[in-house]
Amino acid sequence: MPIVVDIDVMLARRKMSVGELAERVGITPANLAVLKNGRAKAVRFTTLAALCEALRCQPGDLLRWEPEPDPDAPEDPVAVTARDAPAGP
């Protein structure tokens, strides 16, 4: 999924447990784990705001976008180039 959730990073920075954050935000630890592990399909702005308030951070500290890998692109362009190069002098 191109949206990556970095709640675990902020939890570590704040030295806070999942249970404590869930209690402060008002959601169950199970629902927080779904969000933290990137399995959530959506997040309400009210929940995001509560997470930011509890962790004293900005939404961008919790969420980031990463492009999806191109299935047609080679895995490692350097390895492909070396493999396809002619052998010997």
Side-chain angles (χ1 to χ4, degrees), residues 3 12 16 22 27 33 41-42 48 51 72:
I3 300 296
M16 188 182 300
I27 61 176
K41 298 291 181 195
L48 183 58
L51 286 166
D72 297 329

Side-chain angles (χ1 to χ4, degrees), residues 4-67:
V4 178
V5 181
D6 287 326
I7 290 176
D8 53 344
V9 173
M10 290 307 297
L11 281 171
R13 286 183 183 166
R14 302 295 186 245
K15 296 180 174 62
M16 188 182 300
S17 71
V18 171
E20 182 181 350
L21 179 60
E23 186 176 317
R24 288 185 182 194
V25 173
I27 61 176
T28 66
N31 283 341
L32 183 56
V34 167
L35 182 60
K36 185 174 86 71
N37 296 325
R39 295 188 316 262
K41 298 291 181 195
V43 61
R44 293 175 189 252
F45 283 137
T46 53
T47 302
L48 183 58
L51 286 166
C52 289
E53 183 177 350
L55 292 167
R56 299 179 322 275
C57 67
Q58 294 294 314
D61 296 325
L62 301 177
L63 303 172
R64 63 188 160 88
W65 176 82
E66 287 188 356

